[in-house]
Amino acid sequence: EKTDEAWNKVYAKLERDGLIEQRHQLPAVSAFIKWGIACAAVLLCIIISAVYITSMRTPQMLTQRNDEANSTLVKMLEDGSVVYLAGNSSLQYPVHFTKNKRSVILHGNALFDVAKNKARPFFIDTKYATIEVVGTSFNIKSNDKVSFELSVIRGKVKVTDKKGGNNVLISVGETVMLSSHGL
């Protein structure tokens, strides 16, 4: 109420001095400004929430590199899977896998011994192919000397050619290679 009295005195002075013609013009502008500030605050909260939620969905990635001087670098992932990284190769992997899948990116050659988990399949993204496994052991060659080659030691692996989209299921003792005609 004190605020309203103060505004009424200001309006009366402005009317006397001839600075405003009608008293209701200034409160209408004031209400419009208050409404605009409230809308801007709500919009800002929505944008900040969206950025926060998006950042929570994108897993933080780590990179493990093995130089040419080293022959093998062993890396155990969060889920218990073991990767034997060959020389001149790198592996990108998240600090924590998502709830529904486990994904890594391989550049070069590596031997994988993937921990079995049917609820969360394991995906390996290479330059030429994508590999999907549940729990198995296999060797991948994917470097400049060999375009792509995968040999299964234990279990089964699904390999999808990125260029053609064709996929094959590889079993124990089998090897798949990528040629100009596909897998």
Side-chain angles (χ1 to χ4, degrees):
E1 290 179 22
K2 290 181 180 180
T3 306
D4 289 340
E5 288 177 28
W7 278 110
N8 285 333
K9 289 180 182 177
V10 170
Y11 294 141
K13 175 145 177 53
L14 291 172
E15 282 179 330
R16 275 188 308 240
D17 294 342
L19 297 174
I20 61 170
E21 293 179 18
Q22 297 176 347
R23 288 179 74 168
H24 67 278
Q25 286 178 335
L26 198 52
V29 170
S30 179
F32 177 74
I33 290 172
K34 288 178 186 177
W35 179 251
I37 291 171
C39 288
V42 169
L43 184 61
L44 183 63
C45 288
I46 290 171
I47 290 170
I48 290 171
S49 297
V51 168
Y52 178 74
I53 289 169
T54 302
S55 69
M56 293 296 290
R57 288 185 186 162
T58 306
Q60 181 185 357
M61 298 295 281
L62 302 173
T63 301
Q64 186 72 55
R65 285 186 173 80
N66 197 10
D67 60 23
E68 203 161 327
N70 296 321
S71 59
T72 304
L73 180 65
V74 180
K75 177 66 186 167
M76 181 176 281
L77 302 176
E78 168 198 41
D79 66 341
S81 296
V82 180
V83 182
Y84 300 89
L85 201 58
N88 205 26
S89 298
S90 68
L91 179 73
Q92 287 180 285
Y93 57 96
V95 174
H96 301 289
F97 289 115
T98 62
K99 291 180 182 180
N100 57 351
K101 73 177 186 177
R102 304 168 287 170
S103 295
V104 299
I105 301 169
L106 173 67
H107 298 282
N109 303 336
L111 173 70
F112 283 82
D113 192 357
V114 177
K116 190 170 186 171
N117 186 341
K118 289 185 179 186
R120 290 188 340 171
F122 195 95
F123 293 89
I124 303 162
D125 189 32
T126 70
K127 184 176 180 180
Y128 301 102
T130 301
I131 299 99
E132 179 182 352
V133 298
V134 174
T136 187
S137 182
F138 53 93
N139 187 47
I140 298 173
K141 293 180 182 176
S142 180
N143 57 30
D144 294 334
K145 296 174 187 171
V146 178
S147 63
F148 180 82
E149 185 178 302
L150 183 141
S151 301
V152 176
I153 299 167
R154 183 181 72 246
K156 290 185 180 182
V157 177
K158 179 182 174 184
V159 179
T160 304
D161 174 12
K162 283 186 173 181
K163 190 174 182 180
N166 300 325
N167 61 60
V168 294
L169 192 61
I170 308 300
S171 298
V172 175
E174 295 180 335
T175 298
V176 63
M177 294 186 293
L178 182 65
S179 69
S180 60
H181 303 298
L183 294 173

